[in-house]
Amino acid sequence: MRIQVNGEPLEVEENISLPELVAVLKLKAEQIAIELNHDVVRRAQWKDTLLHADDKVEIVHFVGGGCNQGGSSRHEAVCGI
């Protein structure tokens, strides 16, 4: 069946669960959040959430680090400070 992941079409098996989708995409579950059809799905609900044809999945990756005010000139250029 066809779903959309971050705006791109993806063919997956029927009745695939969110953890199975995460595995197919080779993502680290602890580093992402998932929105299904414009609703955030709590991690505790992932295993009970099955995908259906034409579902729209948005996956957000958490990225460590960030910008601080006291960095080097290279850091300032990258962070736009």
Side-chain angles (χ1 to χ4, degrees):
M1 87 181 156
R2 182 171 287 218
I3 63 171
Q4 278 191 14
V5 177
N6 292 352
E8 298 292 326
L10 180 67
E11 289 289 331
V12 295
E13 293 181 25
E14 296 281 333
N15 297 318
I16 190 171
S17 68
L18 288 180
E20 292 169 326
L21 176 64
V22 170
V24 165
L25 297 174
K26 298 181 179 160
L27 300 173
K28 294 182 180 181
E30 64 276 0
Q31 295 179 346
I32 62 172
I34 298 178
E35 180 182 284
L36 175 60
N37 299 322
H38 307 289
D39 292 319
V40 174
V41 181
R42 293 181 173 269
R43 192 174 310 271
Q45 298 171 320
W46 285 10
K47 64 180 171 59
D48 298 322
T49 303
L50 300 179
L51 298 175
H52 302 94
D54 300 320
D55 276 346
K56 292 178 176 54
V57 179
E58 293 293 327
I59 299 175
V60 178
H61 296 261
F62 299 114
V63 179
C67 297
N68 63 35
Q69 297 297 328
S72 67
S73 60
R74 181 178 182 279
H75 180 81
E76 291 169 359
V78 170
C79 294
I81 299 174

